[in-house]
Amino acid sequence: MAATGAHLTGEPLAALDAAFPKTQGADGALSFRRSASPSGRPVLLLPGASGTSEFFCLAAPLLAAGGVDPVLVDYPGTLAPRELARRTERLARDLGLSAPVALGCSYSAWWLQHAATDGPFRALILCNGFVEAEDLKPHPLFDHAAIAATPTASLREEWRARAASAPPAMLSELLLQAMSGWLAAEDLKGRLLEVTSSLPVPSGERFAGPVTVVDCHDDPIVGERARALFRDSWPDAAHREISGGHYPYVNAPEEFARTVLAAI
């Protein structure tokens, strides 16, 4: 189901479909987009709670031009965080990726911390991550009780209406299309329930390999305090601060791509 008036996304999405066709993963839970002729270091790109692989339509070509093999992953919202990490590792193995890097954004940056140190990922890039739900509470989108009480279809319609009423922009058009069909209503609600009930990942249970933390000084969702807490939770990680709000791969794709290329 396509959203109407998506004039800004038409050409980038058509180019994405041509260059990075979507394929269902072997286990049926995850799907992915990848070039038919991949080359370069593989980097798995995982969207946040409200996003899909299409949200990387601007950044993926830039990464490919920089010598990266982008693998754009769609994941369900109905699996527990640790299971999402295991399924993503399995996808990397199924694809035979050599020393891949995994990049999580927002919610996926939180659950990607569960990646196994002895798993397939050589390193992680955690973009706009957070430590726990408590750090996001000031934002009205993250009221756990309200999300739990709202019927699944109604919750997605609220997000769709919010995107439809926003001024025309690449991000609002992508969100509108995500809430009009790309992202299943149960996946949106499942992801949001996990975000709003998230707890700190114990240091002994999380990835212990190389990590780069990327955050945005103008992020309206993960605020300054939450960003500082997340950075402090990874004291040995490299840190990169960029612009682009909560969706730098949409709002500032060139800067996002340069940052990813520098981190790998």
Side-chain angles (χ1 to χ4, degrees), residues 52-72:
T52 62
S53 60
E54 288 83 3
F55 281 52
F56 296 108
C57 63
L58 300 178
L62 297 172
L63 291 171
V68 160
D69 169 17
V71 182
L72 289 53

Side-chain angles (χ1 to χ4, degrees), residues 1 18 21 24-25 37 83 87 114 119 121 130-132 136 147 151 154 161 176 180 198 219 231 248-249 263:
M1 177 179 177
Q24 192 68 36
S37 303
E83 181 62 17
R87 296 292 185 102
H114 289 289
F121 299 127
F130 54 89
V131 175
E132 60 179 326
L136 304 176
I147 292 168
S154 299
L176 179 57
S180 299
S198 58
D219 188 338
R231 289 194 301 270
Y249 37 95

Side-chain angles (χ1 to χ4, degrees), residues 16 19 50 61 67 69 91 103 109 123 127 164 169-170 179 182 208-209 215-216 223 225 233 238 251 254 257:
L16 183 77
S50 59
D69 169 17
L91 175 64
L103 185 152
C127 180
M170 189 73 181
M179 301 306 150
W182 289 344
D215 54 31
C216 296
R225 176 180 174 274
S233 74
N251 296 324
E254 294 85 0

Side-chain angles (χ1 to χ4, degrees), residues 11 19 27 58 62 118 123 128 152 156 179 187 237 258 260 264:
E11 186 175 338
D27 70 355
L58 300 178
L62 297 172
D118 60 354
N128 290 346
T152 300
R156 191 176 70 164
M179 301 306 150
D187 289 328
R258 287 195 301 270
V260 173
I264 62 172

Side-chain angles (χ1 to χ4, degrees), residues 50 139-141 155-167 172 175-176 179 188 192:
S50 59
H139 199 285
L141 290 179
L155 181 66
R156 191 176 70 164
E157 177 55 27
E158 289 177 5
W159 280 70
R160 195 206 68 79
R162 194 160 44 243
S165 65
S172 60
L175 283 167
L176 179 57
M179 301 306 150
L188 175 67
L192 291 175

Side-chain angles (χ1 to χ4, degrees), residues 86-131:
R86 300 291 88 79
R87 296 292 185 102
T88 306
E89 293 165 358
R90 187 182 307 169
L91 175 64
R93 292 191 181 98
D94 288 346
L95 294 176
L97 303 182
S98 176
V101 174
L103 185 152
C105 302
S106 189
Y107 171 49
S108 60
W110 181 78
W111 62 253
L112 195 55
Q113 296 176 97
H114 289 289
T117 306
D118 60 354
F121 299 127
R122 183 189 65 80
L124 302 183
I125 301 174
L126 305 177
C127 180
N128 290 346
F130 54 89
V131 175

